[in-house]
Amino acid sequence: MARKNASDDPLAPVTLAVGQEELLLDRAVREVVAAAKAADADTDVRDLTPDQLQPGTLAELVSPSLFAERKVVVVRGAQDLSADTVKDVKAYLSSPAEEITLVLLHAGGAKGKGLLDAARKAGAREVACPKMTKPADRLAFVRGEFRTAGRSATPEACQALVDAIGSDLRELASAVTQLVADVDGTIDEAVVGRYYTGRAEASSFTVADRAVEGRTAEALEALRWSLSTGVAPVLITSALAQAVRAIGKLSSARGGRPADLARELGMPPWKIDRVRQQMRGWTPDGVAVALRAVAEADAGVKGGGDDPEYALEKAVVTIARAARSRGRA
């Protein structure tokens, strides 16, 4: 969930939303707009990208109105503003206008750090919207969504939802909303299973993620859950192959920013970050062993063996061991 600082007034003169989690950034904007419209239903909202905020544009937007109307000015991608526009924003921060709420969305990091520091120094209300790259963060997010909705869900239900849906926060939030609307009483694992057993692709990728992270027990648990809910074995071998190949590709790629590597390897930037975390412990020999295990499992589930489930379990165990090969050789 987005974290806020002590000055938690959505109508503060300046709100600074920092991070790269799009859902949380959008929520930070919606919260300010909702508060402004509650204070004045005729609030004028201007939502701008860096290319729309040219030098001098901000001064026009915040100039006094004959009707003294309330305004919310949202600036997305503030780290990408031109140098001249940054000067305009910094000048405004020193003397914000009444009845105007400025919302700056900044990715954080080194780019545009001068504006970030200036907004903080000016006492901007800050909302942290970090990318949730860790499973534990996504699990906490789901729990928070249920709490915000005033509903209870078992820990097992929250974990099952994360396992079924994956890393997309918008989809997780949507799933919580659907369950809350459709189900009375406490939401448990069985309810989640009834709604999301069709998420075969997500389930198979959960197996693959746990395996390449070297988490054998969790990978086997996810495998058995996927198979018990009807996920086709061939989808699981496909996910395992993609996960291992991604590690092989990234380990042999040149260093660089996620965006550059994403273009080079044909992966989305968020996946680059995830694979970087997963590839710790991997060696070239480990990747080779894992790819052979996937090939054997693929043959096994396509008729080359008597027991597809055993073929998958064997592959998962082999891959998880290979994930921890560094330092054992």
Side-chain angles (χ1 to χ4, degrees):
M1 239 186 291
R3 298 188 301 274
K4 304 167 188 174
N5 64 7
S7 178
D8 193 20
D9 179 8
L11 293 181
V14 181
T15 286
L16 179 65
V18 184
Q20 299 179 45
E21 190 58 70
E22 291 297 329
L23 173 66
L24 301 184
L25 291 167
D26 286 345
R27 284 184 173 181
V29 172
R30 288 202 301 270
E31 182 184 28
V32 173
V33 171
K37 286 187 175 291
D40 181 353
D42 294 325
T43 294
D44 181 22
V45 179
R46 304 295 180 90
D47 198 323
L48 306 169
T49 56
D51 61 304
Q52 294 173 312
L53 194 66
Q54 299 298 321
T57 303
L58 183 63
E60 294 176 11
L61 291 173
V62 300
S63 61
S65 166
L66 291 174
F67 305 102
E69 64 183 354
R70 180 180 291 277
K71 289 183 182 179
V72 174
V73 179
V74 180
V75 179
R76 297 183 182 272
Q79 72 281 352
D80 296 323
L81 292 173
S82 68
D84 288 338
T85 303
V86 167
K87 291 179 182 177
D88 289 348
V89 177
K90 286 182 177 180
Y92 176 79
L93 291 173
S94 64
S95 183
E98 291 185 12
E99 302 300 313
I100 303 289
T101 300
L102 176 64
V103 184
L104 298 173
L105 275 57
H106 194 294
K111 188 176 183 181
K113 190 173 183 298
L115 178 57
L116 191 64
D117 292 342
R120 286 170 171 162
K121 187 176 181 180
R125 166 182 177 259
E126 185 167 344
V127 182
C129 306
K131 271 288 185 186
M132 295 191 181
T133 57
K134 297 179 181 178
D137 291 338
R138 294 192 288 273
L139 183 59
F141 172 79
V142 168
R143 289 171 176 164
E145 291 292 287
F146 280 118
R147 281 196 302 270
T148 300
R151 295 293 299 279
S152 61
T154 66
E156 294 79 12
C158 294
Q159 184 65 63
L161 195 60
V162 171
D163 290 342
I165 300 297
S167 61
D168 191 307
L169 251 59
R170 291 188 189 277
E171 290 196 24
L172 285 169
S174 177
V176 170
T177 299
Q178 180 180 21
L179 290 169
V180 167
D182 292 356
V183 180
D184 295 326
T186 298
I187 295 165
D188 59 19
E189 187 175 9
V191 169
V192 174
R194 286 200 302 272
Y195 272 74
Y196 295 102
T197 52
R199 299 300 295 256
E201 184 179 359
S203 300
S204 59
F205 283 128
T206 298
V207 177
D209 284 341
R210 299 297 86 79
V212 298
E213 290 162 4
R215 295 154 66 178
T216 308
E218 293 176 48
L220 289 172
E221 182 180 357
L223 172 64
R224 289 161 191 152
W225 185 86
S226 297
L227 293 172
S228 70
T229 55
V231 177
V234 68
L235 290 178
I236 299 174
T237 56
S238 175
L240 289 169
Q242 289 184 50
V244 175
R245 285 173 188 149
I247 287 171
K249 284 182 180 179
L250 190 57
S251 63
S252 60
R254 300 185 302 273
R257 297 180 305 166
D260 297 332
L261 288 170
R263 286 191 293 271
E264 180 184 341
L265 302 178
M267 300 181 192
W270 64 262
K271 190 169 183 178
I272 296 292
D273 291 334
R274 172 186 288 180
V275 176
R276 271 179 168 165
Q277 295 175 358
Q278 292 175 333
M279 63 189 286
R280 298 167 186 163
W282 281 90
T283 64
D285 288 343
V287 172
V289 168
L291 287 174
R292 284 196 297 271
V294 171
E296 291 173 4
D298 190 53
V301 303
K302 291 179 178 177
D306 296 329
D307 189 343
E309 292 189 15
Y310 172 73
L312 285 169
E313 287 187 3
K314 181 180 177 182
V316 164
V317 170
T318 302
I319 292 168
R321 286 175 178 168
R324 301 190 299 271
S325 58
R326 189 182 298 278
R328 292 209 320 260

